[in-house]
Amino acid sequence: IRQTVDNAGIPFDLLHFGLKVQFEEATELCLHDSELNLLGDCKTLIKRFGAVIISNAYLNEGIRSIGHRNRFPHLNFHRDRNESQPTPYSLYTRDPREEDQFEPRTSSTLFAANLVAYLQCMREENYDAVKQRGMASHYDNLFANESMADVIGRVVIEQRWDEPAGVGEISMLDNRTLLHSSYLRRAGSPGYRIGVRYLG
């Protein structure tokens, strides 16, 4: 289904929601430079598919140590950046060269389009409250009244970070069009921190 949405002035034109790329052999990728600018067709892919998930890949040595690590311990859909910041893209990594990221993770990252979040919020509240909060707000427990299994694969994309031991994983998104959260597949097991960097 093709959707075109004007979200705070940003065109969101999806032919499909989500793209997964899986390499047959472990592959080094240069997705951004040391100035934190996305390279190649990254922005085009993000604009076309929303969330881009790459398996059996890792970032090149020159940018390996850039960024920080983060872990959200609960299901809280949010975004990392806003429209006024020059680095609206987030890139997440599981680096197989790091001892604490070598094994599969026990928690997932979920991605939902802002439009889905907005409609869900309207359903749970009233229009004036949603309008007042705006798209920049957090959506605490957005899908709390539903089973996540019912929405994953339909309106929510799940990156499980559960490729076999020693397999690298990367995901990219535009915070102006997508929200994300952590999803504990096992209660009380938030998993290790994932690498995070913000890019322009």
Side-chain angles (χ1 to χ4, degrees):
I1 296 174
R2 186 180 184 121
Q3 291 181 323
T4 302
V5 180
D6 187 351
N7 178 12
I10 306 299
F12 189 28
D13 190 3
L14 295 182
L15 290 176
H16 302 281
F17 184 30
L19 172 68
K20 182 163 186 180
V21 178
Q22 183 146 10
F23 289 95
E24 291 183 9
E25 298 179 2
T27 302
E28 180 180 276
L29 298 178
C30 185
L31 298 178
H32 70 83
D33 60 24
S34 58
E35 321 270 280
L36 300 177
N37 296 304
L38 280 169
L39 300 174
D41 292 324
C42 290
K43 291 180 185 178
T44 301
L45 290 174
I46 292 169
K47 184 175 180 181
R48 175 63 60 91
F49 296 101
V52 177
I53 297 172
I54 305 170
S55 296
N56 207 12
Y58 53 90
L59 297 177
N60 58 300
E61 193 64 39
I63 60 172
R64 179 180 174 192
S65 60
I66 292 176
H68 62 284
R69 292 191 179 185
N70 211 343
R71 174 184 56 215
F72 295 99
H74 50 74
L75 185 62
N76 178 17
F77 281 85
H78 66 283
R79 58 185 186 167
D80 293 334
R81 320 298 279 168
N82 61 48
E83 290 84 359
S84 66
Q85 293 170 301
T87 52
Y89 301 95
S90 290
L91 187 144
Y92 307 119
T93 60
R94 170 189 167 201
D95 191 333
R97 298 164 294 183
E98 300 291 330
E99 183 178 346
D100 62 345
Q101 293 189 346
F102 188 81
E103 296 293 331
R105 196 174 186 230
T106 56
S107 57
S108 298
T109 301
L110 301 182
F111 303 103
N114 269 354
L115 175 65
V116 172
Y118 190 78
L119 295 175
Q120 173 91 12
C121 193
M122 284 180 63
R123 188 183 79 178
E124 293 175 359
E125 300 181 28
N126 61 64
Y127 178 76
D128 289 334
V130 174
K131 189 175 179 183
Q132 186 175 13
R133 277 198 336 187
M135 294 302 296
S137 301
H138 287 253
Y139 295 89
D140 295 332
N141 299 314
L142 185 64
F143 296 97
N145 297 328
E146 303 177 49
S147 165
M148 287 311 299
D150 294 338
V151 296
I152 289 175
R154 288 197 304 111
V155 295
V156 173
I157 295 173
E158 179 181 22
Q159 178 162 11
R160 293 177 62 88
W161 304 104
D162 65 350
E163 292 289 335
V167 174
E169 300 180 77
I170 300 168
S171 60
M172 302 181 288
L173 67 96
D174 185 338
N175 287 283
R176 296 168 296 185
T177 56
L178 262 64
L179 302 173
H180 65 282
S181 74
S182 289
Y183 177 48
L184 308 187
R185 300 194 306 269
R186 265 188 260 154
S189 181
Y192 50 74
R193 294 182 300 152
I194 290 294
V196 180
R197 55 196 76 196
Y198 307 125
L199 309 170

